[in-house]
Amino acid sequence: GSLTGSYTGLNGAAFYIYGSQVEAGTSATSYIPTTTASVVRSADACSISGAAFSGFYNQSEGTVYTESRPATVNGTTTTFGLSNGTSNERWLNRFAQNGQVVITSAGTESSLDALDPVAGTLYKVATAGKLNDFSMSINGLAVVTNTSQPMPVVDSAGIGNALGAVAGSGAVTIAAIRYYKKRLPNAKIQALTA
């Protein structure tokens, strides 16, 4: 085809293009800065830690909302996770037959389970928690609770399977993730997912 355009300060047709890439596939991957040599892509990983994480996270209480569609249901398909880099302290919204939310504190793990997820189905999951007061609702279903789990001590958050300690092998399409710095009431988390 042909292109026409202009760039202020130049006479005639001109284009300023930066960071463009062309690739074959069903969707574009993230930008890879290159020079004259090709670069092998590592898996994209979106996470936050350090001062940026401590600026938005509340260690005492919180609520995580995710809206996503798993391509597989294998127990490691994670939409969003909070972790300290180990499996001893974490809060995962994931897709598994034995618990869609996993909370681990001081090595003690609890699961909140509302249904058996099906690959390719859109799920809205809200989990609210504080000391010995965790609740979860999926797609507006009745709230499931756990009254004996402390809050995990975490220092990072990851979208998808981005955190090393919670990495998995399942693909998930994510439509929305929200984090609230307070524990929302059970009626609210059920309404969020309806």
Side-chain angles (χ1 to χ4, degrees):
S2 63
L3 297 172
T4 59
S6 65
Y7 186 78
T8 303
L10 294 178
N11 292 325
F15 292 92
Y16 177 71
I17 300 173
Y18 176 81
S20 65
Q21 68 187 51
V22 177
E23 58 188 290
T26 58
S27 61
T29 56
S30 59
Y31 170 69
I32 306 172
T34 60
T35 57
T36 56
S38 63
V39 176
V40 176
R41 168 179 299 286
S42 299
D44 284 333
C46 182
S47 63
I48 185 173
S49 60
F53 176 78
S54 61
F56 90 87
Y57 182 69
N58 179 358
Q59 185 59 58
S60 301
E61 61 182 300
T63 301
V64 173
Y65 170 85
T66 59
E67 189 174 327
S68 58
R69 183 184 319 270
T72 59
V73 177
N74 61 12
T76 60
T77 306
T78 303
T79 302
F80 182 76
L82 299 161
S83 172
N84 73 343
T86 73
S87 58
N88 291 326
E89 300 285 337
R90 63 187 182 172
W91 175 346
L92 308 177
N93 277 24
R94 68 175 193 175
F95 293 101
Q97 302 302 339
N98 61 344
Q100 289 78 55
V101 173
V102 173
I103 299 109
T104 308
S105 305
T108 301
E109 182 173 290
S110 296
S111 295
L112 296 170
D113 185 22
L115 51 79
D116 287 337
V118 176
T121 302
L122 180 68
Y123 292 101
K124 298 176 183 179
V125 181
T127 310
K130 63 181 179 180
L131 178 63
N132 299 327
D133 184 16
F134 278 87
S135 298
M136 184 238 341
S137 179
I138 296 178
N139 291 354
L141 295 175
V143 173
V144 178
T145 63
N146 179 313
T147 58
S148 62
Q149 185 70 42
M151 285 288 288
V153 178
V154 299
D155 59 11
S156 59
I159 296 174
N161 294 319
L163 299 174
V166 298
S169 59
V172 61
T173 302
I174 301 170
I177 296 175
R178 292 184 213 144
Y179 172 75
Y180 302 87
K181 292 178 91 166
K182 62 181 183 176
R183 190 215 187 281
L184 297 179
N186 290 352
K188 180 67 175 177
I189 66 169
Q190 188 172 15
L192 274 174
T193 66

